Amino acid sequence: MQNLLDFDADGLTAWFAEQGEKPFRARQVLRWMHRSGVADFDAMTDIAKSLREKLKVKAVVAPPTVVSDKLSDDGTRKFLIDVGNGNAVETVFIPEDERGTLCISTQAGCALDCAFCSTGKQGFNRNLTVAEIIGQLWQANKALGAVHGDERVISNVVMMGMGEPLANYDNTIKALRLMLDDNAYGLSRRRVTVSTSGLVPTIDRLREDCPVALAVSLHAPNDALRDQLVPINQKYPLKELMAACRRYLEKAPRDFITFEYTMMAGVNDSDAHARELLALVRDVPCKFNLIPFNPFPGSPFRRSPADRVRRFGEILLQAGIVTTTRKTRGDDIDAACGQLAGQVKDKTRRTAGTTIPIQELRT
């Protein structure tokens, strides 16, 4: 049985053509599945009964299952999504006064093993399918009571959950196209953000294939420190990454790159580090999002004190760079940035809890 959630518009149109059906049938089903959240073919009332019967034999609309739904004191909501074979991923909805943001996962675990991230310490099992990625948005809309025609509950989507989106490139692109499709979720390119640790070749591919807002997990102002905090830097060092960011802006829907910077006490939060950052990004239009480190079991890091974060941000602001400090949301249910863990059957044989001695990180 073919899961129709695995198709973007082009894929669904091609599949319907194989069934001897006209392209407009694909658009009809796309709207029912994504705009109306319908999984039952019998409920797709403007489709001929004969086609509905054919679909029931050949296809399903099967989003991944929500196995738990936790609500934080601050209104943040975390969904644990079963993706099979003992793996589960986490999806987080963050309500704010003027928008609702859904943080989506793209992999079961993560192979990049960033030193300060709970997800990376679980290891990696596999890439998520298109249905498993877009199914998180599908299920969140259902849970939040979103109905087509009402005010949009989820106005923004960020690919900042478990995994590296650009390491699951093909499926991420198809899911992005569904998010942007007016027959599906109809989101603006400016309101969909892909976050990457710095996979330079796929940043260039994203620029050509589906340019949306781009966030880069930076976390260090020099290669020596970033090599240890974000190991992919050893393959794509900062000079190459900054060049890719400049190229991306040629087609980006926003005129800046967002740099995410997790603030860890005594590791990357000094005035000298802030001044190094200014030199690093001097020719990259950007804004900084400072993220106070969110602790998790076994981590050697501590959150930078509030006054240190404030001073660090002031140095960037005084140089004319827009800088915000991310408010910690959902930490009482382990839904804050860097805390997402889910459940992963690791295939990497990584030693559980391996960390770099903190004294080696003071660069």
Side-chain angles (χ1 to χ4, degrees):
M1 298 282 276
Q2 175 64 56
N3 188 354
L4 299 188
L5 289 180
D6 270 323
F7 291 128
D8 60 9
D10 289 344
L12 192 61
T13 299
W15 187 83
F16 267 85
E18 291 172 3
Q19 314 310 312
E21 300 291 340
K22 294 182 178 179
F24 79 93
R25 294 300 189 191
R27 292 192 295 273
Q28 284 181 307
V29 172
L30 198 71
R31 289 194 292 268
W32 278 111
M33 289 192 299
H34 297 291
R35 294 176 69 176
S36 301
V38 171
D40 180 359
F41 294 122
D42 283 331
M44 300 180 182
T45 52
D46 64 349
I47 295 174
K49 185 175 181 180
S50 59
L51 177 54
R52 281 182 269 160
E53 294 301 319
K54 181 192 293 188
L55 289 173
K56 285 191 285 186
V57 173
K58 294 189 173 186
V60 292
V61 178
T65 303
V66 176
V67 293
S68 75
D69 179 351
K70 294 182 179 180
L71 183 64
S72 168
D73 292 340
D74 64 19
T76 299
R77 198 161 170 180
K78 182 173 76 170
F79 305 98
L80 183 66
I81 308 285
D82 183 4
V83 294
N85 298 318
N87 295 295
V89 300
E90 293 183 333
T91 307
V92 177
F93 175 68
I94 305 168
E96 297 177 271
D97 290 341
E98 297 181 354
R99 63 183 178 184
T101 301
L102 190 70
C103 181
I104 284 179
S105 296
T106 54
Q107 296 180 309
C110 185
L112 298 190
D113 197 22
C114 294
F116 51 86
C117 181
S118 178
T119 302
K121 298 309 169 190
Q122 282 201 304
F124 173 76
N125 184 270
R126 65 173 177 84
N127 288 330
L128 299 187
T129 65
V130 179
E132 290 164 345
I133 298 171
I134 204 66
Q136 295 170 64
L137 178 53
W138 194 98
Q139 289 285 25
N141 270 328
K142 278 280 193 183
L144 296 166
V147 177
H148 177 59
D150 292 346
E151 184 177 350
R152 194 189 303 274
V153 177
I154 297 171
S155 61
N156 295 61
V157 172
V158 293
M159 299 278 201
M160 294 183 185
M162 296 173 63
E164 164 59 60
L166 297 187
N168 184 12
Y169 186 81
D170 291 343
N171 291 341
T172 293
I173 286 292
K174 290 176 183 177
L176 287 173
R177 287 173 175 157
L178 284 169
M179 293 174 196
L180 302 175
D181 195 316
D182 286 340
N183 288 313
Y185 298 95
L187 294 170
S188 160
R189 290 180 186 272
R190 295 171 58 87
R191 291 181 174 269
V192 178
T193 301
V194 168
S195 176
T196 178
S197 295
L199 277 66
V200 167
T202 42
I203 291 174
D204 288 332
R205 289 181 65 190
L206 183 67
R207 179 194 63 193
E208 298 301 322
D209 294 341
C210 191
V212 292
L214 184 68
V216 175
S217 296
L218 195 58
H219 311 303
N222 58 65
D223 284 321
L225 180 54
R226 196 168 191 265
D227 282 351
Q228 298 175 74
L229 291 176
V230 186
I232 196 65
N233 193 74
Q234 298 167 35
K235 186 171 184 179
Y236 305 115
L238 285 169
K239 182 178 180 180
E240 293 182 27
L241 179 57
M242 294 302 110
C245 289
R246 290 192 295 272
R247 292 192 297 271
Y248 193 84
L249 286 170
E250 296 168 4
K251 295 190 176 181
R254 292 184 172 182
D255 58 0
F256 61 87
I257 302 292
T258 298
F259 288 120
E260 298 164 311
Y261 196 93
T262 298
M263 300 288 292
M264 292 168 277
V267 173
N268 66 347
D269 64 347
S270 70
D271 288 4
H273 287 130
R275 288 189 287 270
E276 274 192 279
L277 280 178
L278 292 175
L280 177 68
V281 304
R282 62 185 179 276
D283 57 355
V284 181
C286 64
K287 63 174 284 189
F288 271 89
N289 189 3
L290 305 182
I291 307 167
F293 172 70
N294 292 304
F296 57 88
S299 171
F301 302 108
R302 293 179 297 110
R303 179 180 297 184
S304 298
D307 59 348
R308 179 91 297 269
V309 176
R310 185 165 49 251
R311 170 60 184 160
F312 194 96
E314 286 172 354
I315 293 172
L316 300 178
L317 282 166
Q318 289 167 5
I321 296 180
V322 174
T323 304
T324 59
T325 299
R326 183 177 296 176
K327 182 180 178 182
T328 298
R329 298 288 301 268
D331 55 338
D332 58 321
I333 56 171
D334 291 333
C337 183
Q339 289 185 318
L340 300 191
Q343 180 176 321
V344 178
K345 298 292 185 182
D346 182 31
K347 288 185 176 180
T348 64
R349 295 183 173 86
R350 183 180 303 159
T351 302
T354 298
T355 56
I356 302 168
I358 199 163
Q359 62 269 20
E360 295 182 15
L361 294 168
R362 300 183 189 278
T363 303

